[in-house]
mmCIF file of all heavy atoms in Angstrom:
data_model
loop_
_atom_site.group_PDB
_atom_site.id
_atom_site.type_symbol
_atom_site.label_atom_id
_atom_site.label_comp_id
_atom_site.label_asym_id
_atom_site.label_seq_id
_atom_site.Cartn_x
_atom_site.Cartn_y
_atom_site.Cartn_z
ATOM 1 N N ASN A 748 -2.109 -35.674 -5.627
ATOM 2 C CA ASN A 748 -2.656 -34.977 -4.481
ATOM 3 C C ASN A 748 -1.518 -34.193 -3.837
ATOM 4 O O ASN A 748 -0.436 -34.741 -3.602
ATOM 5 C CB ASN A 748 -3.271 -35.950 -3.480
ATOM 6 C CG ASN A 748 -4.638 -36.433 -3.919
ATOM 7 O OD1 ASN A 748 -5.214 -35.915 -4.875
ATOM 8 N ND2 ASN A 748 -5.162 -37.438 -3.235
ATOM 9 N N TYR A 749 -1.750 -32.937 -3.570
ATOM 10 C CA TYR A 749 -0.665 -32.073 -3.114
ATOM 11 C C TYR A 749 -1.198 -31.022 -2.144
ATOM 12 O O TYR A 749 -2.410 -30.761 -2.056
ATOM 13 C CB TYR A 749 -0.009 -31.371 -4.305
ATOM 14 C CG TYR A 749 -0.946 -30.406 -5.024
ATOM 15 C CD1 TYR A 749 -1.025 -29.072 -4.653
ATOM 16 C CD2 TYR A 749 -1.764 -30.851 -6.059
ATOM 17 C CE1 TYR A 749 -1.904 -28.197 -5.289
ATOM 18 C CE2 TYR A 749 -2.628 -29.994 -6.697
ATOM 19 C CZ TYR A 749 -2.702 -28.665 -6.309
ATOM 20 O OH TYR A 749 -3.569 -27.820 -6.928
ATOM 21 N N ARG A 750 -0.269 -30.386 -1.434
ATOM 22 C CA ARG A 750 -0.520 -29.199 -0.609
ATOM 23 C C ARG A 750 0.589 -28.203 -0.914
ATOM 24 O O ARG A 750 1.762 -28.578 -0.881
ATOM 25 C CB ARG A 750 -0.509 -29.544 0.878
ATOM 26 C CG ARG A 750 -1.682 -30.434 1.335
ATOM 27 C CD ARG A 750 -1.408 -31.024 2.698
ATOM 28 N NE ARG A 750 -0.306 -31.983 2.633
ATOM 29 C CZ ARG A 750 0.629 -32.107 3.573
ATOM 30 N NH1 ARG A 750 0.634 -31.311 4.644
ATOM 31 N NH2 ARG A 750 1.580 -33.008 3.435
ATOM 32 N N SER A 751 0.233 -26.976 -1.210
ATOM 33 C CA SER A 751 1.248 -25.985 -1.546
ATOM 34 C C SER A 751 0.898 -24.643 -0.922
ATOM 35 O O SER A 751 -0.266 -24.360 -0.610
ATOM 36 C CB SER A 751 1.384 -25.838 -3.063
ATOM 37 O OG SER A 751 0.186 -25.322 -3.624
ATOM 38 N N VAL A 752 1.929 -23.826 -0.755
ATOM 39 C CA VAL A 752 1.769 -22.449 -0.269
ATOM 40 C C VAL A 752 2.581 -21.539 -1.173
ATOM 41 O O VAL A 752 3.720 -21.870 -1.537
ATOM 42 C CB VAL A 752 2.233 -22.302 1.193
ATOM 43 C CG1 VAL A 752 2.423 -20.832 1.563
ATOM 44 C CG2 VAL A 752 1.234 -22.946 2.148
ATOM 45 N N VAL A 753 1.999 -20.411 -1.534
ATOM 46 C CA VAL A 753 2.691 -19.376 -2.297
ATOM 47 C C VAL A 753 2.647 -18.082 -1.497
ATOM 48 O O VAL A 753 1.576 -17.676 -1.031
ATOM 49 C CB VAL A 753 2.043 -19.167 -3.678
ATOM 50 C CG1 VAL A 753 2.743 -18.026 -4.433
ATOM 51 C CG2 VAL A 753 2.100 -20.447 -4.500
ATOM 52 N N VAL A 754 3.815 -17.464 -1.319
ATOM 53 C CA VAL A 754 3.921 -16.208 -0.573
ATOM 54 C C VAL A 754 4.492 -15.142 -1.504
ATOM 55 O O VAL A 754 5.571 -15.329 -2.081
ATOM 56 C CB VAL A 754 4.843 -16.357 0.661
ATOM 57 C CG1 VAL A 754 4.857 -15.055 1.473
ATOM 58 C CG2 VAL A 754 4.407 -17.533 1.533
ATOM 59 N N HIS A 755 3.782 -14.037 -1.651
ATOM 60 C CA HIS A 755 4.280 -12.879 -2.387
ATOM 61 C C HIS A 755 4.660 -11.795 -1.377
ATOM 62 O O HIS A 755 4.000 -11.643 -0.345
ATOM 63 C CB HIS A 755 3.207 -12.309 -3.326
ATOM 64 C CG HIS A 755 2.787 -13.250 -4.404
ATOM 65 N ND1 HIS A 755 3.469 -13.366 -5.590
ATOM 66 C CD2 HIS A 755 1.746 -14.117 -4.474
ATOM 67 C CE1 HIS A 755 2.865 -14.264 -6.361
ATOM 68 N NE2 HIS A 755 1.822 -14.730 -5.706
ATOM 69 N N GLY A 756 5.700 -11.042 -1.677
ATOM 70 C CA GLY A 756 6.050 -9.953 -0.780
ATOM 71 C C GLY A 756 7.411 -9.376 -1.070
ATOM 72 O O GLY A 756 8.028 -9.650 -2.105
ATOM 73 N N THR A 757 7.869 -8.566 -0.134
ATOM 74 C CA THR A 757 9.169 -7.921 -0.232
ATOM 75 C C THR A 757 10.077 -8.464 0.857
ATOM 76 O O THR A 757 9.710 -8.442 2.037
ATOM 77 C CB THR A 757 9.037 -6.394 -0.082
ATOM 78 O OG1 THR A 757 8.146 -5.898 -1.090
ATOM 79 C CG2 THR A 757 10.388 -5.717 -0.220
ATOM 80 N N ALA A 758 11.225 -8.976 0.464
ATOM 81 C CA ALA A 758 12.190 -9.534 1.414
ATOM 82 C C ALA A 758 13.136 -8.429 1.888
ATOM 83 O O ALA A 758 13.578 -7.586 1.098
ATOM 84 C CB ALA A 758 12.988 -10.659 0.767
ATOM 85 N N TYR A 759 13.444 -8.477 3.181
ATOM 86 C CA TYR A 759 14.333 -7.485 3.783
ATOM 87 C C TYR A 759 15.497 -8.188 4.469
ATOM 88 O O TYR A 759 15.325 -9.267 5.053
ATOM 89 C CB TYR A 759 13.585 -6.635 4.813
ATOM 90 C CG TYR A 759 12.454 -5.830 4.239
ATOM 91 C CD1 TYR A 759 11.155 -6.332 4.211
ATOM 92 C CD2 TYR A 759 12.688 -4.562 3.719
ATOM 93 C CE1 TYR A 759 10.120 -5.588 3.681
ATOM 94 C CE2 TYR A 759 11.644 -3.811 3.183
ATOM 95 C CZ TYR A 759 10.365 -4.327 3.174
ATOM 96 O OH TYR A 759 9.332 -3.591 2.640
ATOM 97 N N GLU A 760 16.648 -7.585 4.422
ATOM 98 C CA GLU A 760 17.800 -8.119 5.139
ATOM 99 C C GLU A 760 17.608 -7.910 6.640
ATOM 100 O O GLU A 760 17.175 -6.837 7.073
ATOM 101 C CB GLU A 760 19.084 -7.431 4.682
ATOM 102 C CG GLU A 760 20.336 -7.999 5.352
ATOM 103 C CD GLU A 760 21.607 -7.301 4.915
ATOM 104 O OE1 GLU A 760 21.505 -6.196 4.326
ATOM 105 O OE2 GLU A 760 22.695 -7.838 5.142
ATOM 106 N N VAL A 761 17.918 -8.939 7.420
ATOM 107 C CA VAL A 761 17.833 -8.850 8.884
ATOM 108 C C VAL A 761 19.192 -8.418 9.413
ATOM 109 O O VAL A 761 20.192 -9.117 9.218
ATOM 110 C CB VAL A 761 17.418 -10.205 9.499
ATOM 111 C CG1 VAL A 761 17.389 -10.109 11.022
ATOM 112 C CG2 VAL A 761 16.058 -10.633 8.971
ATOM 113 N N THR A 762 19.216 -7.270 10.070
ATOM 114 C CA THR A 762 20.474 -6.750 10.601
ATOM 115 C C THR A 762 20.509 -6.730 12.120
ATOM 116 O O THR A 762 21.592 -6.676 12.706
ATOM 117 C CB THR A 762 20.728 -5.330 10.072
ATOM 118 O OG1 THR A 762 19.623 -4.487 10.436
ATOM 119 C CG2 THR A 762 20.888 -5.339 8.558
ATOM 120 N N ASP A 763 19.353 -6.756 12.779
ATOM 121 C CA ASP A 763 19.326 -6.747 14.239
ATOM 122 C C ASP A 763 19.934 -8.041 14.774
ATOM 123 O O ASP A 763 19.490 -9.143 14.391
ATOM 124 C CB ASP A 763 17.889 -6.620 14.746
ATOM 125 C CG ASP A 763 17.801 -6.670 16.254
ATOM 126 O OD1 ASP A 763 18.161 -5.671 16.908
ATOM 127 O OD2 ASP A 763 17.394 -7.728 16.781
ATOM 128 N N PRO A 764 20.954 -7.975 15.645
ATOM 129 C CA PRO A 764 21.637 -9.194 16.114
ATOM 130 C C PRO A 764 20.708 -10.190 16.795
ATOM 131 O O PRO A 764 20.823 -11.403 16.569
ATOM 132 C CB PRO A 764 22.690 -8.656 17.088
ATOM 133 C CG PRO A 764 22.913 -7.241 16.672
ATOM 134 C CD PRO A 764 21.591 -6.756 16.176
ATOM 135 N N GLU A 765 19.775 -9.708 17.608
ATOM 136 C CA GLU A 765 18.878 -10.624 18.319
ATOM 137 C C GLU A 765 17.926 -11.318 17.352
ATOM 138 O O GLU A 765 17.666 -12.520 17.469
ATOM 139 C CB GLU A 765 18.093 -9.856 19.380
ATOM 140 C CG GLU A 765 17.361 -10.747 20.377
ATOM 141 C CD GLU A 765 18.293 -11.654 21.156
ATOM 142 O OE1 GLU A 765 19.432 -11.225 21.467
ATOM 143 O OE2 GLU A 765 17.890 -12.797 21.457
ATOM 144 N N GLU A 766 17.403 -10.569 16.391
ATOM 145 C CA GLU A 766 16.512 -11.184 15.411
ATOM 146 C C GLU A 766 17.277 -12.178 14.540
ATOM 147 O O GLU A 766 16.734 -13.220 14.153
ATOM 148 C CB GLU A 766 15.848 -10.123 14.541
ATOM 149 C CG GLU A 766 14.808 -10.712 13.589
ATOM 150 C CD GLU A 766 14.106 -9.675 12.727
ATOM 151 O OE1 GLU A 766 14.498 -8.485 12.791
ATOM 152 O OE2 GLU A 766 13.194 -10.048 11.973
ATOM 153 N N ARG A 767 18.519 -11.867 14.221
ATOM 154 C CA ARG A 767 19.329 -12.803 13.433
ATOM 155 C C ARG A 767 19.508 -14.124 14.165
ATOM 156 O O ARG A 767 19.385 -15.205 13.571
ATOM 157 C CB ARG A 767 20.697 -12.175 13.126
ATOM 158 C CG ARG A 767 20.680 -11.226 11.943
ATOM 159 C CD ARG A 767 21.946 -10.388 11.860
ATOM 160 N NE ARG A 767 23.159 -11.198 11.852
ATOM 161 C CZ ARG A 767 23.670 -11.782 10.759
ATOM 162 N NH1 ARG A 767 23.060 -11.655 9.601
ATOM 163 N NH2 ARG A 767 24.794 -12.476 10.823
ATOM 164 N N ARG A 768 19.796 -14.062 15.457
ATOM 165 C CA ARG A 768 19.973 -15.311 16.224
ATOM 166 C C ARG A 768 18.657 -16.082 16.317
ATOM 167 O O ARG A 768 18.631 -17.312 16.205
ATOM 168 C CB ARG A 768 20.513 -14.999 17.621
ATOM 169 C CG ARG A 768 21.968 -14.542 17.616
ATOM 170 C CD ARG A 768 22.574 -14.548 19.008
ATOM 171 N NE ARG A 768 23.971 -14.148 18.966
ATOM 172 C CZ ARG A 768 24.977 -14.976 18.686
ATOM 173 N NH1 ARG A 768 24.729 -16.250 18.401
ATOM 174 N NH2 ARG A 768 26.227 -14.531 18.677
ATOM 175 N N THR A 769 17.552 -15.358 16.518
ATOM 176 C CA THR A 769 16.247 -16.011 16.549
ATOM 177 C C THR A 769 15.964 -16.703 15.220
ATOM 178 O O THR A 769 15.474 -17.836 15.174
ATOM 179 C CB THR A 769 15.145 -14.983 16.847
ATOM 180 O OG1 THR A 769 15.360 -14.427 18.153
ATOM 181 C CG2 THR A 769 13.764 -15.625 16.798
ATOM 182 N N ALA A 770 16.289 -16.008 14.129
ATOM 183 C CA ALA A 770 16.051 -16.565 12.796
ATOM 184 C C ALA A 770 16.901 -17.800 12.552
ATOM 185 O O ALA A 770 16.418 -18.815 12.030
ATOM 186 C CB ALA A 770 16.331 -15.499 11.743
ATOM 187 N N LEU A 771 18.174 -17.749 12.921
ATOM 188 C CA LEU A 771 19.065 -18.882 12.681
ATOM 189 C C LEU A 771 18.660 -20.082 13.531
ATOM 190 O O LEU A 771 18.722 -21.227 13.077
ATOM 191 C CB LEU A 771 20.507 -18.473 12.966
ATOM 192 C CG LEU A 771 21.079 -17.438 11.980
ATOM 193 C CD1 LEU A 771 22.452 -16.966 12.430
ATOM 194 C CD2 LEU A 771 21.155 -18.004 10.572
ATOM 195 N N ASP A 772 18.226 -19.845 14.768
ATOM 196 C CA ASP A 772 17.717 -20.945 15.594
ATOM 197 C C ASP A 772 16.470 -21.553 14.948
ATOM 198 O O ASP A 772 16.293 -22.778 14.934
ATOM 199 C CB ASP A 772 17.377 -20.455 17.003
ATOM 200 C CG ASP A 772 18.609 -20.238 17.863
ATOM 201 O OD1 ASP A 772 19.707 -20.695 17.464
ATOM 202 O OD2 ASP A 772 18.490 -19.612 18.936
ATOM 203 N N ALA A 773 15.598 -20.694 14.410
ATOM 204 C CA ALA A 773 14.378 -21.181 13.774
ATOM 205 C C ALA A 773 14.697 -22.023 12.544
ATOM 206 O O ALA A 773 14.024 -23.030 12.274
ATOM 207 C CB ALA A 773 13.488 -20.000 13.385
ATOM 208 N N LEU A 774 15.721 -21.643 11.785
ATOM 209 C CA LEU A 774 16.117 -22.411 10.607
ATOM 210 C C LEU A 774 16.590 -23.804 10.995
ATOM 211 O O LEU A 774 16.250 -24.792 10.329
ATOM 212 C CB LEU A 774 17.218 -21.667 9.858
ATOM 213 C CG LEU A 774 16.745 -20.466 9.026
ATOM 214 C CD1 LEU A 774 17.887 -19.483 8.810
ATOM 215 C CD2 LEU A 774 16.210 -20.939 7.687
ATOM 216 N N VAL A 775 17.367 -23.894 12.074
ATOM 217 C CA VAL A 775 17.852 -25.206 12.533
ATOM 218 C C VAL A 775 16.691 -26.038 13.067
ATOM 219 O O VAL A 775 16.544 -27.225 12.739
ATOM 220 C CB VAL A 775 18.940 -25.022 13.603
ATOM 221 C CG1 VAL A 775 19.326 -26.368 14.213
ATOM 222 C CG2 VAL A 775 20.173 -24.347 13.006
ATOM 223 N N ASP A 776 15.837 -25.429 13.891
ATOM 224 C CA ASP A 776 14.728 -26.168 14.496
ATOM 225 C C ASP A 776 13.661 -26.534 13.474
ATOM 226 O O ASP A 776 12.883 -27.467 13.698
ATOM 227 C CB ASP A 776 14.105 -25.348 15.622
ATOM 228 C CG ASP A 776 14.988 -25.306 16.861
ATOM 229 O OD1 ASP A 776 15.771 -26.245 17.058
ATOM 230 O OD2 ASP A 776 14.894 -24.322 17.630
ATOM 231 N N HIS A 777 13.600 -25.798 12.358
ATOM 232 C CA HIS A 777 12.628 -26.143 11.331
ATOM 233 C C HIS A 777 12.945 -27.507 10.723
ATOM 234 O O HIS A 777 12.037 -28.272 10.393
ATOM 235 C CB HIS A 777 12.638 -25.080 10.230
ATOM 236 C CG HIS A 777 11.655 -25.340 9.136
ATOM 237 N ND1 HIS A 777 10.329 -25.007 9.232
ATOM 238 C CD2 HIS A 777 11.804 -25.928 7.917
ATOM 239 C CE1 HIS A 777 9.700 -25.364 8.124
ATOM 240 N NE2 HIS A 777 10.582 -25.935 7.309
#
């Protein structure tokens, strides 16, 4: 018994400083 998610798409580099900090905080809090 399992649960899975598959995401297809195009990945982009994050260069905006504010978005980068938001992303890094989200990675830690995840």
Side-chain angles (χ1 to χ4, degrees):
N748 282 350
Y749 65 90
R750 292 165 292 141
S751 65
V752 165
V753 177
V754 184
H755 297 275
T757 302
Y759 298 92
E760 183 181 15
V761 178
T762 58
D763 177 75
E765 193 60 35
E766 185 179 5
R767 278 167 54 83
R768 289 193 178 277
T769 297
L771 293 173
D772 284 347
L774 284 156
V775 173
D776 287 333
H777 181 82

